[in-house]
mmCIF file of all heavy atoms in Angstrom:
data_model
loop_
_atom_site.group_PDB
_atom_site.id
_atom_site.type_symbol
_atom_site.label_atom_id
_atom_site.label_comp_id
_atom_site.label_asym_id
_atom_site.label_seq_id
_atom_site.Cartn_x
_atom_site.Cartn_y
_atom_site.Cartn_z
ATOM 1 N N THR A 11 17.913 -8.700 19.996
ATOM 2 C CA THR A 11 17.606 -9.492 18.802
ATOM 3 C C THR A 11 16.145 -9.977 18.828
ATOM 4 O O THR A 11 15.446 -9.890 17.782
ATOM 5 C CB THR A 11 18.589 -10.792 18.742
ATOM 6 O OG1 THR A 11 18.555 -11.528 20.067
ATOM 7 C CG2 THR A 11 19.846 -10.307 18.504
ATOM 8 N N THR A 12 15.664 -10.299 20.148
ATOM 9 C CA THR A 12 14.206 -10.632 20.191
ATOM 10 C C THR A 12 13.293 -9.476 19.899
ATOM 11 O O THR A 12 12.381 -9.659 19.232
ATOM 12 C CB THR A 12 13.911 -11.213 21.602
ATOM 13 O OG1 THR A 12 14.764 -12.299 21.874
ATOM 14 C CG2 THR A 12 12.471 -11.663 21.673
ATOM 15 N N THR A 13 13.765 -8.274 20.303
ATOM 16 C CA THR A 13 12.987 -7.133 20.095
ATOM 17 C C THR A 13 12.972 -6.846 18.637
ATOM 18 O O THR A 13 11.804 -6.377 18.029
ATOM 19 C CB THR A 13 13.674 -5.867 20.894
ATOM 20 O OG1 THR A 13 13.471 -6.134 22.121
ATOM 21 C CG2 THR A 13 13.015 -4.565 20.386
ATOM 22 N N ALA A 14 13.964 -6.920 17.893
ATOM 23 C CA ALA A 14 14.070 -6.772 16.457
ATOM 24 C C ALA A 14 13.000 -7.693 15.711
ATOM 25 O O ALA A 14 12.481 -7.296 14.763
ATOM 26 C CB ALA A 14 15.493 -6.985 15.892
ATOM 27 N N ILE A 15 13.018 -8.980 16.102
ATOM 28 C CA ILE A 15 12.095 -9.940 15.557
ATOM 29 C C ILE A 15 10.651 -9.491 15.766
ATOM 30 O O ILE A 15 9.757 -9.520 14.868
ATOM 31 C CB ILE A 15 12.250 -11.395 16.103
ATOM 32 C CG1 ILE A 15 13.668 -11.859 15.562
ATOM 33 C CG2 ILE A 15 11.182 -12.274 15.551
ATOM 34 C CD1 ILE A 15 14.207 -13.096 16.202
ATOM 35 N N LEU A 16 10.343 -9.058 16.991
ATOM 36 C CA LEU A 16 9.000 -8.561 17.332
ATOM 37 C C LEU A 16 8.679 -7.349 16.484
ATOM 38 O O LEU A 16 7.620 -7.153 16.037
ATOM 39 C CB LEU A 16 8.927 -8.214 18.891
ATOM 40 C CG LEU A 16 8.917 -9.506 19.808
ATOM 41 C CD1 LEU A 16 9.122 -9.039 21.206
ATOM 42 C CD2 LEU A 16 7.674 -10.369 19.581
ATOM 43 N N PHE A 17 9.682 -6.426 16.422
ATOM 44 C CA PHE A 17 9.423 -5.193 15.593
ATOM 45 C C PHE A 17 9.131 -5.599 14.173
ATOM 46 O O PHE A 17 8.268 -5.076 13.520
ATOM 47 C CB PHE A 17 10.724 -4.409 15.750
ATOM 48 C CG PHE A 17 10.520 -2.927 15.214
ATOM 49 C CD1 PHE A 17 9.482 -2.176 15.552
ATOM 50 C CD2 PHE A 17 11.542 -2.412 14.454
ATOM 51 C CE1 PHE A 17 9.371 -0.887 15.134
ATOM 52 C CE2 PHE A 17 11.369 -1.201 13.936
ATOM 53 C CZ PHE A 17 10.352 -0.310 14.316
ATOM 54 N N GLY A 18 9.819 -6.590 13.600
ATOM 55 C CA GLY A 18 9.623 -7.011 12.293
ATOM 56 C C GLY A 18 8.276 -7.535 12.168
ATOM 57 O O GLY A 18 7.659 -7.503 11.038
ATOM 58 N N SER A 19 7.771 -8.281 13.269
ATOM 59 C CA SER A 19 6.515 -8.872 13.060
ATOM 60 C C SER A 19 5.279 -7.983 12.868
ATOM 61 O O SER A 19 4.289 -8.205 12.150
ATOM 62 C CB SER A 19 6.128 -9.876 14.109
ATOM 63 O OG SER A 19 5.889 -8.944 15.383
ATOM 64 N N PHE A 20 5.489 -6.742 13.380
ATOM 65 C CA PHE A 20 4.512 -5.776 13.273
ATOM 66 C C PHE A 20 4.355 -5.333 11.828
ATOM 67 O O PHE A 20 3.255 -5.159 11.234
ATOM 68 C CB PHE A 20 4.962 -4.532 14.022
ATOM 69 C CG PHE A 20 4.198 -3.168 13.882
ATOM 70 C CD1 PHE A 20 2.928 -3.120 14.406
ATOM 71 C CD2 PHE A 20 4.549 -2.187 13.207
ATOM 72 C CE1 PHE A 20 1.994 -2.017 14.250
ATOM 73 C CE2 PHE A 20 3.747 -1.057 12.988
ATOM 74 C CZ PHE A 20 2.521 -0.967 13.551
ATOM 75 N N PHE A 21 5.479 -5.145 11.092
ATOM 76 C CA PHE A 21 5.485 -4.754 9.572
ATOM 77 C C PHE A 21 5.235 -6.026 8.829
ATOM 78 O O PHE A 21 4.571 -5.840 7.674
ATOM 79 C CB PHE A 21 6.833 -4.221 9.249
ATOM 80 C CG PHE A 21 7.133 -3.024 10.062
ATOM 81 C CD1 PHE A 21 8.134 -2.958 11.003
ATOM 82 C CD2 PHE A 21 6.414 -1.711 9.824
ATOM 83 C CE1 PHE A 21 8.474 -1.722 11.706
ATOM 84 C CE2 PHE A 21 6.626 -0.693 10.519
ATOM 85 C CZ PHE A 21 7.632 -0.606 11.482
ATOM 86 N N ALA A 22 5.469 -7.230 9.212
ATOM 87 C CA ALA A 22 5.009 -8.371 8.604
ATOM 88 C C ALA A 22 3.743 -8.534 8.416
ATOM 89 O O ALA A 22 3.144 -8.958 7.368
ATOM 90 C CB ALA A 22 5.692 -9.614 9.271
ATOM 91 N N ALA A 23 2.908 -8.178 9.562
ATOM 92 C CA ALA A 23 1.475 -8.110 9.527
ATOM 93 C C ALA A 23 0.991 -7.103 8.482
ATOM 94 O O ALA A 23 -0.165 -7.454 7.852
ATOM 95 C CB ALA A 23 0.920 -7.823 10.952
ATOM 96 N N GLY A 24 1.608 -6.037 8.267
ATOM 97 C CA GLY A 24 1.116 -5.125 7.241
ATOM 98 C C GLY A 24 1.260 -5.576 5.849
ATOM 99 O O GLY A 24 0.625 -5.135 5.027
ATOM 100 N N VAL A 25 2.158 -6.564 5.614
ATOM 101 C CA VAL A 25 2.221 -7.152 4.279
ATOM 102 C C VAL A 25 0.953 -7.710 3.939
ATOM 103 O O VAL A 25 0.523 -7.873 2.701
ATOM 104 C CB VAL A 25 3.365 -8.309 4.280
ATOM 105 C CG1 VAL A 25 3.292 -8.997 2.934
ATOM 106 C CG2 VAL A 25 4.689 -7.674 4.546
ATOM 107 N N VAL A 26 0.114 -8.327 4.855
ATOM 108 C CA VAL A 26 -1.079 -8.807 4.610
ATOM 109 C C VAL A 26 -2.313 -7.736 4.665
ATOM 110 O O VAL A 26 -3.097 -7.654 3.847
ATOM 111 C CB VAL A 26 -1.523 -10.004 5.637
ATOM 112 C CG1 VAL A 26 -2.937 -10.522 5.427
ATOM 113 C CG2 VAL A 26 -0.520 -11.093 5.396
ATOM 114 N N ILE A 27 -2.173 -6.934 5.727
ATOM 115 C CA ILE A 27 -3.149 -5.903 6.070
ATOM 116 C C ILE A 27 -3.279 -4.934 4.943
ATOM 117 O O ILE A 27 -4.454 -4.591 4.601
ATOM 118 C CB ILE A 27 -3.010 -5.343 7.318
ATOM 119 C CG1 ILE A 27 -3.101 -6.365 8.490
ATOM 120 C CG2 ILE A 27 -3.763 -4.074 7.719
ATOM 121 C CD1 ILE A 27 -2.534 -5.815 9.872
ATOM 122 N N LYS A 28 -2.260 -4.298 4.409
ATOM 123 C CA LYS A 28 -2.292 -3.312 3.423
ATOM 124 C C LYS A 28 -2.993 -3.675 2.136
ATOM 125 O O LYS A 28 -3.836 -2.883 1.679
ATOM 126 C CB LYS A 28 -0.950 -2.506 3.220
ATOM 127 C CG LYS A 28 -0.537 -1.900 4.534
ATOM 128 C CD LYS A 28 0.673 -1.174 4.281
ATOM 129 C CE LYS A 28 1.165 -0.174 5.593
ATOM 130 N NZ LYS A 28 2.465 0.499 5.438
ATOM 131 N N PRO A 29 -2.511 -4.747 1.491
ATOM 132 C CA PRO A 29 -3.291 -5.091 0.228
ATOM 133 C C PRO A 29 -4.769 -5.442 0.445
ATOM 134 O O PRO A 29 -5.596 -5.025 -0.272
ATOM 135 C CB PRO A 29 -2.341 -6.279 -0.253
ATOM 136 C CG PRO A 29 -1.197 -6.314 0.350
ATOM 137 C CD PRO A 29 -1.378 -5.609 1.714
ATOM 138 N N LEU A 30 -4.974 -6.062 1.554
ATOM 139 C CA LEU A 30 -6.342 -6.471 1.864
ATOM 140 C C LEU A 30 -7.187 -5.246 2.165
ATOM 141 O O LEU A 30 -8.297 -5.119 1.564
ATOM 142 C CB LEU A 30 -6.330 -7.408 3.066
ATOM 143 C CG LEU A 30 -7.685 -8.019 3.569
ATOM 144 C CD1 LEU A 30 -8.347 -8.783 2.475
ATOM 145 C CD2 LEU A 30 -7.621 -8.776 4.796
ATOM 146 N N SER A 31 -6.738 -4.363 2.937
ATOM 147 C CA SER A 31 -7.462 -3.048 3.209
ATOM 148 C C SER A 31 -7.641 -2.267 1.942
ATOM 149 O O SER A 31 -8.772 -1.752 1.768
ATOM 150 C CB SER A 31 -6.832 -2.329 4.309
ATOM 151 O OG SER A 31 -5.554 -1.923 3.988
ATOM 152 N N GLY A 32 -6.600 -2.289 1.060
ATOM 153 C CA GLY A 32 -6.751 -1.595 -0.124
ATOM 154 C C GLY A 32 -7.872 -2.134 -1.044
ATOM 155 O O GLY A 32 -8.643 -1.383 -1.613
ATOM 156 N N ALA A 33 -7.843 -3.442 -1.152
ATOM 157 C CA ALA A 33 -8.845 -4.084 -1.969
ATOM 158 C C ALA A 33 -10.189 -3.931 -1.459
ATOM 159 O O ALA A 33 -11.249 -3.743 -2.248
ATOM 160 C CB ALA A 33 -8.454 -5.689 -2.118
ATOM 161 N N ILE A 34 -10.299 -4.042 -0.104
ATOM 162 C CA ILE A 34 -11.766 -3.756 0.554
ATOM 163 C C ILE A 34 -12.029 -2.310 0.212
ATOM 164 O O ILE A 34 -13.326 -2.097 -0.108
ATOM 165 C CB ILE A 34 -11.667 -4.106 1.989
ATOM 166 C CG1 ILE A 34 -11.358 -5.538 2.200
ATOM 167 C CG2 ILE A 34 -12.955 -3.648 2.601
ATOM 168 C CD1 ILE A 34 -11.145 -5.980 3.634
ATOM 169 N N TYR A 35 -11.158 -1.429 0.351
ATOM 170 C CA TYR A 35 -11.513 -0.024 0.093
ATOM 171 C C TYR A 35 -11.968 0.187 -1.357
ATOM 172 O O TYR A 35 -12.984 0.926 -1.545
ATOM 173 C CB TYR A 35 -10.279 0.931 0.444
ATOM 174 C CG TYR A 35 -10.332 2.276 -0.237
ATOM 175 C CD1 TYR A 35 -11.108 3.271 0.373
ATOM 176 C CD2 TYR A 35 -9.734 2.499 -1.510
ATOM 177 C CE1 TYR A 35 -11.185 4.443 -0.302
ATOM 178 C CE2 TYR A 35 -9.864 3.802 -2.163
ATOM 179 C CZ TYR A 35 -10.541 4.785 -1.557
ATOM 180 O OH TYR A 35 -10.710 5.956 -2.170
ATOM 181 N N ASP A 36 -11.419 -0.338 -2.310
ATOM 182 C CA ASP A 36 -11.775 -0.288 -3.719
ATOM 183 C C ASP A 36 -13.361 -0.769 -3.864
ATOM 184 O O ASP A 36 -14.017 -0.262 -4.727
ATOM 185 C CB ASP A 36 -11.000 -1.155 -4.662
ATOM 186 C CG ASP A 36 -9.614 -0.442 -4.875
ATOM 187 O OD1 ASP A 36 -9.527 0.829 -4.798
ATOM 188 O OD2 ASP A 36 -8.669 -1.231 -5.182
ATOM 189 N N ARG A 37 -13.769 -1.640 -2.960
ATOM 190 C CA ARG A 37 -15.098 -2.130 -3.043
ATOM 191 C C ARG A 37 -16.144 -1.574 -2.222
ATOM 192 O O ARG A 37 -17.312 -1.269 -2.599
ATOM 193 C CB ARG A 37 -15.092 -3.737 -2.740
ATOM 194 C CG ARG A 37 -14.422 -4.446 -3.943
ATOM 195 C CD ARG A 37 -14.001 -5.875 -3.499
ATOM 196 N NE ARG A 37 -13.451 -6.589 -4.503
ATOM 197 C CZ ARG A 37 -12.246 -6.429 -5.030
ATOM 198 N NH1 ARG A 37 -11.487 -5.612 -4.595
ATOM 199 N NH2 ARG A 37 -11.877 -7.178 -6.132
ATOM 200 N N VAL A 38 -15.830 -1.119 -0.975
ATOM 201 C CA VAL A 38 -16.776 -0.576 0.014
ATOM 202 C C VAL A 38 -16.550 0.816 0.488
ATOM 203 O O VAL A 38 -17.342 1.360 1.073
ATOM 204 C CB VAL A 38 -16.988 -1.621 1.299
ATOM 205 C CG1 VAL A 38 -17.339 -2.913 0.776
ATOM 206 C CG2 VAL A 38 -15.796 -1.608 2.129
ATOM 207 N N GLY A 39 -15.380 1.398 0.193
ATOM 208 C CA GLY A 39 -15.147 2.698 0.479
ATOM 209 C C GLY A 39 -14.353 2.849 1.782
ATOM 210 O O GLY A 39 -14.130 1.937 2.585
ATOM 211 N N ILE A 40 -14.107 4.203 2.161
ATOM 212 C CA ILE A 40 -13.257 4.379 3.277
ATOM 213 C C ILE A 40 -13.874 4.176 4.676
ATOM 214 O O ILE A 40 -13.209 3.774 5.626
ATOM 215 C CB ILE A 40 -12.726 5.844 3.164
ATOM 216 C CG1 ILE A 40 -11.627 6.165 4.315
ATOM 217 C CG2 ILE A 40 -13.853 6.937 3.167
ATOM 218 C CD1 ILE A 40 -11.000 7.511 3.979
#
């Protein structure tokens, strides 16, 4: 159960990282 929570935290971070990285890409490139 602890492992599942840790595993979920990896993707929870992506909830912030992906839109942010996409928005930055739109402005400064790859």
Side-chain angles (χ1 to χ4, degrees):
T11 52
T12 305
T13 293
I15 293 171
L16 290 170
F17 192 50
S19 72
F20 175 73
F21 298 108
V25 174
V26 177
I27 290 168
K28 288 184 176 179
L30 182 60
S31 61
I34 295 173
Y35 161 78
D36 283 337
R37 288 163 174 78
V38 305
I40 184 170

